[in-house]
Coordinates of all heavy atoms in Angstrom, one line a residue:
I512 N 48.9 -16.2 17.5 CA 48.8 -17.3 18.5 C 49.1 -18.6 17.8 O 48.5 -18.9 16.7 CB 47.4 -17.4 19.1 CG1 47.0 -16.0 19.7 CG2 47.3 -18.5 20.2 CD1 47.5 -15.7 21.0
G513 N 49.9 -19.5 18.3 CA 50.2 -20.8 17.7 C 51.1 -21.6 18.6 O 51.6 -21.2 19.6
D514 N 51.5 -22.8 18.0 CA 52.5 -23.6 18.7 C 53.9 -23.3 18.1 O 54.0 -22.7 17.0 CB 52.1 -25.1 18.7 CG 52.0 -25.6 17.3 OD1 52.8 -25.3 16.4 OD2 51.0 -26.4 17.1
E515 N 54.9 -23.9 18.7 CA 56.2 -23.6 18.2 C 56.5 -24.1 16.8 O 57.1 -23.3 16.0 CB 57.2 -24.3 19.2 CG 58.7 -23.9 19.0 CD 59.6 -24.6 20.0 OE1 59.1 -25.0 21.1 OE2 60.8 -24.6 19.8
K516 N 56.0 -25.2 16.5 CA 56.1 -25.8 15.1 C 55.5 -24.8 14.1 O 56.1 -24.5 13.0 CB 55.5 -27.2 15.0 CG 55.7 -27.8 13.7 CD 55.1 -29.2 13.7 CE 55.3 -29.8 12.3 NZ 54.7 -31.2 12.2
M517 N 54.3 -24.4 14.3 CA 53.5 -23.5 13.4 C 54.3 -22.2 13.2 O 54.5 -21.7 12.1 CB 52.1 -23.3 13.9 CG 51.3 -22.4 13.0 SD 50.0 -21.5 13.8 CE 50.9 -20.0 14.3
I518 N 54.8 -21.6 14.3 CA 55.4 -20.3 14.2 C 56.8 -20.5 13.5 O 57.1 -19.6 12.7 CB 55.7 -19.8 15.6 CG1 54.3 -19.5 16.3 CG2 56.5 -18.5 15.6 CD1 53.4 -18.5 15.6
T519 N 57.5 -21.5 13.7 CA 58.7 -21.8 13.0 C 58.5 -21.9 11.5 O 59.2 -21.3 10.7 CB 59.4 -23.0 13.6 OG1 59.6 -22.9 15.0 CG2 60.8 -23.3 12.9
Q520 N 57.5 -22.6 11.2 CA 57.1 -22.8 9.7 C 56.7 -21.4 9.1 O 57.1 -21.1 8.0 CB 56.0 -23.8 9.6 CG 55.6 -24.0 8.2 CD 55.5 -25.5 7.8 OE1 55.3 -26.3 8.7 NE2 55.7 -25.8 6.6
L521 N 55.9 -20.7 9.9 CA 55.5 -19.4 9.4 C 56.7 -18.4 9.2 O 56.8 -17.7 8.2 CB 54.5 -18.7 10.4 CG 53.8 -17.5 10.0 CD1 53.1 -17.6 8.7 CD2 52.9 -17.0 11.1
A522 N 57.7 -18.5 10.1 CA 58.9 -17.7 10.0 C 59.7 -18.0 8.7 O 60.2 -17.2 8.0 CB 59.7 -17.8 11.2
M523 N 59.8 -19.3 8.5 CA 60.5 -19.8 7.3 C 59.8 -19.3 6.0 O 60.4 -18.9 5.0 CB 60.6 -21.3 7.3 CG 61.6 -21.8 8.3 SD 62.0 -23.6 8.2 CE 60.5 -24.4 8.1
Q524 N 58.4 -19.4 6.0 CA 57.7 -18.9 4.8 C 57.9 -17.4 4.6 O 58.1 -17.0 3.5 CB 56.2 -19.2 5.0 CG 55.9 -20.7 5.0 CD 56.1 -21.3 3.6 OE1 55.8 -20.7 2.6 NE2 56.7 -22.5 3.6
L525 N 57.9 -16.7 5.7 CA 58.1 -15.2 5.6 C 59.5 -14.9 5.1 O 59.6 -14.0 4.2 CB 57.9 -14.6 7.0 CG 56.5 -14.4 7.5 CD1 56.5 -14.1 9.0 CD2 55.8 -13.3 6.7
S526 N 60.5 -15.6 5.5 CA 61.8 -15.4 5.1 C 62.0 -15.6 3.6 O 63.0 -15.2 3.0 CB 62.9 -16.1 5.9 OG 62.7 -17.5 5.7
K527 N 61.1 -16.4 3.0 CA 61.2 -16.7 1.5 C 60.7 -15.6 0.7 O 61.0 -15.5 -0.5 CB 60.4 -18.0 1.2 CG 61.1 -19.2 1.7 CD 60.3 -20.5 1.4 CE 60.9 -21.7 2.0 NZ 60.0 -22.9 1.7
L528 N 59.9 -14.6 1.3 CA 59.4 -13.5 0.5 C 60.6 -12.6 0.1 O 61.5 -12.4 0.9 CB 58.4 -12.7 1.3 CG 57.1 -13.3 1.7 CD1 56.3 -12.4 2.6 CD2 56.3 -13.7 0.5
L529 N 60.6 -12.2 -1.1 CA 61.8 -11.4 -1.7 C 62.1 -10.1 -0.9 O 63.2 -9.8 -0.8 CB 61.5 -11.1 -3.2 CG 61.6 -12.3 -4.1 CD1 61.3 -11.8 -5.5 CD2 62.9 -13.0 -4.1
L530 N 61.0 -9.4 -0.5 CA 61.3 -8.2 0.2 C 61.6 -8.3 1.7 O 61.9 -7.3 2.3 CB 60.0 -7.3 0.0 CG 59.7 -6.9 -1.4 CD1 58.4 -6.1 -1.5 CD2 60.8 -6.1 -2.0
V531 N 61.6 -9.5 2.2 CA 61.9 -9.7 3.6 C 63.4 -9.9 3.7 O 64.1 -10.7 3.1 CB 61.2 -11.0 4.1 CG1 61.7 -11.4 5.5 CG2 59.7 -10.7 4.2
I532 N 64.0 -9.1 4.7 CA 65.4 -9.1 4.9 C 65.8 -10.1 6.0 O 66.7 -10.9 6.0 CB 65.9 -7.7 5.3 CG1 65.7 -6.7 4.1 CG2 67.4 -7.7 5.7 CD1 65.8 -5.3 4.5
S533 N 64.9 -10.1 7.1 CA 65.2 -10.9 8.3 C 63.9 -11.2 9.0 O 63.0 -10.3 9.0 CB 66.2 -10.2 9.1 OG 66.6 -11.0 10.2
V534 N 63.8 -12.3 9.7 CA 62.7 -12.7 10.6 C 63.2 -13.2 11.9 O 64.1 -14.0 11.9 CB 61.8 -13.8 9.9 CG1 60.6 -14.1 10.8 CG2 61.3 -13.3 8.5
D535 N 62.6 -12.7 13.0 CA 63.0 -13.1 14.3 C 61.7 -13.5 15.1 O 60.8 -12.8 15.1 CB 63.7 -12.0 15.0 CG 64.5 -12.4 16.2 OD1 64.6 -13.7 16.5 OD2 65.1 -11.6 16.9
I536 N 61.7 -14.7 15.7 CA 60.6 -15.1 16.5 C 60.9 -14.7 18.0 O 61.9 -15.1 18.6 CB 60.4 -16.7 16.5 CG1 60.2 -17.1 15.0 CG2 59.3 -17.1 17.4 CD1 60.3 -18.6 14.8
L537 N 60.0 -14.0 18.6 CA 60.2 -13.5 19.9 C 59.0 -14.0 20.8 O 57.9 -14.0 20.4 CB 60.2 -12.0 20.0 CG 61.2 -11.3 19.1 CD1 61.0 -9.8 19.1 CD2 62.6 -11.6 19.5
T538 N 59.4 -14.4 22.0 CA 58.4 -14.7 23.1 C 58.5 -13.7 24.2 O 59.5 -12.9 24.2 CB 58.6 -16.1 23.6 OG1 59.9 -16.2 24.3 CG2 58.5 -17.2 22.6
G539 N 57.6 -13.7 25.1 CA 57.6 -12.7 26.2 C 58.9 -12.8 27.1 O 59.4 -11.9 27.6
E540 N 59.4 -14.1 27.2 CA 60.6 -14.3 28.0 C 61.9 -13.8 27.4 O 62.8 -13.4 28.2 CB 60.8 -15.8 28.3 CG 59.6 -16.5 28.9 CD 58.5 -17.0 27.9 OE1 58.9 -17.5 26.8 OE2 57.3 -16.7 28.2
D541 N 62.0 -13.8 26.1 CA 63.3 -13.4 25.5 C 63.3 -12.0 24.8 O 64.2 -11.7 24.1 CB 63.7 -14.5 24.4 CG 62.7 -14.6 23.2 OD1 61.8 -13.8 23.2 OD2 63.0 -15.4 22.4
S542 N 62.2 -11.3 25.1 CA 62.1 -9.9 24.5 C 61.5 -8.9 25.4 O 60.9 -9.3 26.4 CB 61.3 -10.1 23.2 OG 60.0 -10.4 23.5
V543 N 61.6 -7.7 25.0 CA 60.9 -6.6 25.7 C 59.8 -6.2 24.7 O 60.1 -5.8 23.6 CB 61.9 -5.4 25.9 CG1 61.2 -4.2 26.5 CG2 63.1 -5.8 26.8
Q544 N 58.6 -6.2 25.2 CA 57.4 -5.9 24.4 C 56.6 -4.9 25.0 O 56.3 -4.9 26.2 CB 56.6 -7.2 24.1 CG 57.4 -8.3 23.5 CD 56.5 -9.5 23.1 OE1 55.3 -9.4 23.0 NE2 57.2 -10.6 22.8
R545 N 56.1 -3.9 24.2 CA 55.3 -2.8 24.7 C 54.2 -2.4 23.6 O 54.4 -2.6 22.4 CB 56.1 -1.6 25.0 CG 57.1 -1.8 26.1 CD 56.4 -2.0 27.5 NE 57.4 -2.1 28.5 CZ 57.9 -3.3 29.0 NH1 57.6 -4.4 28.4 NH2 58.7 -3.3 30.0
E546 N 53.1 -1.9 24.2 CA 52.0 -1.4 23.3 C 51.5 -0.1 23.9 O 51.5 0.1 25.1 CB 50.9 -2.4 23.3 CG 49.7 -2.0 22.5 CD 48.5 -3.0 22.6 OE1 48.3 -3.7 23.6 OE2 47.8 -3.1 21.6
L547 N 51.2 0.8 23.0 CA 50.5 2.1 23.5 C 49.0 2.0 23.3 O 48.6 1.6 22.2 CB 51.1 3.3 22.6 CG 50.4 4.6 22.9 CD1 50.6 5.1 24.3 CD2 50.9 5.6 21.9

């Protein structure tokens, strides 16, 4: 949970990790999300 600025910053920090290939920010409107 967060605001757009915080999530964008978090995604940039994640993308700096060496083992991370790609990061995508998804919201309910632009994605299909499911849980079992």
Side-chain angles (χ1 to χ4, degrees):
I512 307 280
D514 60 42
E515 190 176 344
K516 182 179 178 184
M517 181 207 88
I518 298 300
T519 302
Q520 181 129 28
L521 187 57
M523 287 189 310
Q524 292 293 319
L525 283 165
S526 67
K527 290 179 182 178
L528 295 176
L529 290 179
L530 297 174
V531 170
I532 299 167
S533 183
V534 179
D535 197 4
I536 302 170
L537 304 174
T538 61
E540 302 86 42
D541 65 0
S542 64
V543 177
Q544 301 189 16
R545 297 293 183 266
E546 177 182 36
L547 173 65

